[in-house]
Amino acid sequence: AGGAAALDEVMATGFSHGLGASPANRELVEWMRRENRTRDPADRLRFDGFDAPLEMMSAGSPRGPLQALHGYLAAHVDAGRLRSDAATIDRLAGDDTCWTDTAAMLDASRSVGDTPAARELRVLADDLAALLTVEAPTLVAASREAWDRARLDARTATGLLRYHAILADPAPSRVARALGQRDAMMADNLNAVAEREARRGPTLVFAQNSHLQRVPSTWRLADMDLRWWSAGAITAATCGDHYAFVAMAIGSAPARGLGSPGPATVEGVLAGLPPGIHPTADIRAALRDREVLPRTDMTPEHGYFPLDPGHLQGADGVLYLPEV
C-alpha cells in the first residue's frame, strides 16, 4: 500500500507461520505493489490478516498489543486520563513465556490467565479500549489509520486476555470455549476490515471452511466432541445478506498422499462437474436421489478437512479444485 520496505523484508516479517515463503504469496504481494503504484492512495489494494495471534498449542502474550495501545494513547491523550503506565503493564505481564506455555492448553492449572495480575490487566485493557472510544473525535481527526490500528491493538489485547482466562478454567467446556473465543476475535477483525472497506466495495476473505461457514463448526479432538460458532457464522448473523460463503473442496493432493475421492462423497460428485465455483443449488441437483457419505480417506498429514454434506445448506456455493 505504498510502503518502501524491500520485498524480502515484507515477506519475512509481514506473514506468520512461514507463509511468507510461499511463491504464490510473494507473487500476490508483487502484483499488489505494482497495481498500487498507479492508484490513488485512498483506493489502494489492502491485504489484512484477520486471525488472532494464537497457535494450536499456545497463545500469545498480551504485552505487545497492550504496550502499543498504551503508547498510542500516551502520545495523544492527557496523561491523567490513562490511570496506568508502561511500567505497570510490564510488571503485570511478567515473563512472556508464562503466557505461551504449551502445557496450559491441556492443563488449566498451568495457565496464568486467571491470576490476580491477569485480572488486573483485563481491567486495564478494558479501560484503555474504552478511552479509544471516548476520545474518538479527536483521535480520528488526527489520523483515522492510526486510530484503526489502535483499535486492532485493543481488540487483540482484550481478546487474548479473555482467551487466557478460558484456558485457566478447568471446566470440560474450556477447549470448545477457547475455539469460540478465537473465532469471535476473527469476527471482530472481519467486521473492522469490512467497516473500513465498505465505501470501496466488498472484501474477499480466505480461511478454512470451519472459520467461515454459517453452520456450527465441529471437531473431534482426542476424546472431545467440540462445537462452536465460526467467525463467518457470527459475521453472517450481524451482516445478513451482505455476507456470502463459498466453501472449498479438493479432490486429491498427490504430494500430501491424498488420493482421489470416493464416488459417493461430496468431493466425488463434484469431480463430475467442471472445476470452479458452483452454486449450491446446482450441487444439490447433482446430489438429488443419491446417498452422499462424508469422506473418510484423510489423515492429519493430508491437511484436509472434508466437506460435510450437511454443510451445503449454509453455503452459497462451492469452489472445487480437482487437484492441489
Side-chain angles (χ1 to χ4, degrees):
L7 183 60
D8 286 344
E9 180 185 349
V10 171
M11 302 310 298
T13 63
F15 291 83
S16 64
H17 295 75
L19 294 175
S22 162
N25 282 344
R26 187 181 185 92
E27 180 182 350
L28 176 62
V29 174
E30 287 181 310
W31 174 78
M32 291 178 66
R33 175 173 277 186
R34 288 196 304 271
E35 284 287 313
N36 281 339
R37 286 196 186 110
T38 59
R39 290 174 179 261
D40 183 272
D43 194 39
R44 285 173 174 159
L45 295 164
R46 299 297 298 259
F47 189 108
D48 293 277
F50 75 100
D51 201 352
L54 306 171
E55 300 287 347
M56 174 68 179
M57 292 302 295
S58 66
S61 165
R63 179 199 309 276
L66 267 179
Q67 290 284 30
L69 174 60
H70 183 276
Y72 168 79
L73 288 169
H76 295 87
V77 175
D78 182 84
R81 306 290 304 279
L82 289 176
R83 298 180 55 207
S84 62
D85 54 33
T88 299
I89 294 174
D90 263 340
R91 175 179 59 79
L92 293 173
D95 185 351
D96 284 349
T97 60
C98 294
W99 296 95
T100 58
D101 182 7
T102 56
M105 190 61 65
L106 300 177
D107 182 355
S109 68
R110 295 291 297 271
S111 172
V112 296
D114 196 35
T115 61
R119 292 195 292 271
E120 191 172 344
L121 272 180
R122 288 186 73 182
V123 174
L124 187 154
D126 185 68
D127 285 345
L128 293 177
L131 191 56
L132 272 181
T133 301
V134 171
E135 296 295 326
T138 300
L139 298 172
V140 172
S143 171
R144 175 60 190 258
E145 185 173 350
W147 185 69
D148 280 337
R149 177 68 195 207
R151 288 203 298 166
L152 170 60
D153 289 324
R155 291 194 304 275
T156 304
T158 55
L160 278 174
L161 286 163
R162 291 188 196 110
Y163 188 90
H164 281 289
I166 291 170
L167 293 187
D169 184 353
S173 62
R174 64 192 292 269
V175 176
R177 289 175 57 211
L179 290 169
Q181 170 60 18
R182 175 189 178 184
D183 270 88
M185 294 175 71
M186 295 169 78
D188 285 342
N189 288 335
L190 280 183
N191 283 322
V193 172
E195 175 189 312
R196 187 190 69 201
E197 299 295 335
R199 66 176 181 81
R200 305 202 306 159
T203 294
L204 173 66
V205 180
F206 177 77
Q208 212 277 339
N209 289 341
S210 63
H211 289 306
L212 296 179
Q213 63 195 26
R214 290 188 178 94
V215 297
S217 297
T218 58
W219 190 12
R220 176 70 179 175
L221 180 65
D223 59 347
M224 298 177 290
D225 287 310
L226 306 171
R227 183 183 184 278
W228 73 99
W229 288 111
S230 74
I234 296 168
T235 303
T238 57
C239 291
D241 59 7
H242 289 282
Y243 182 83
F245 168 55
V246 176
M248 190 174 79
I250 67 171
S252 63
R256 300 295 292 271
L258 181 63
S260 299
T265 65
V266 176
E267 289 87 350
V269 173
L270 287 167
L273 302 175
I277 296 178
H278 301 280
T280 306
D282 293 353
I283 300 173
R284 285 177 175 166
L287 298 178
R288 191 172 295 126
D289 301 325
R290 298 181 60 170
E291 181 183 9
V292 183
L293 304 174
R295 190 173 183 178
T296 59
D297 63 333
M298 305 79 51
T299 69
E301 291 73 29
H302 296 152
Y304 179 59
F305 281 52
L307 187 61
D308 188 319
H311 290 179
L312 290 174
Q313 63 180 336
D316 298 285
V318 176
L319 169 62
Y320 179 65
L321 304 178
E323 183 178 302
V324 174

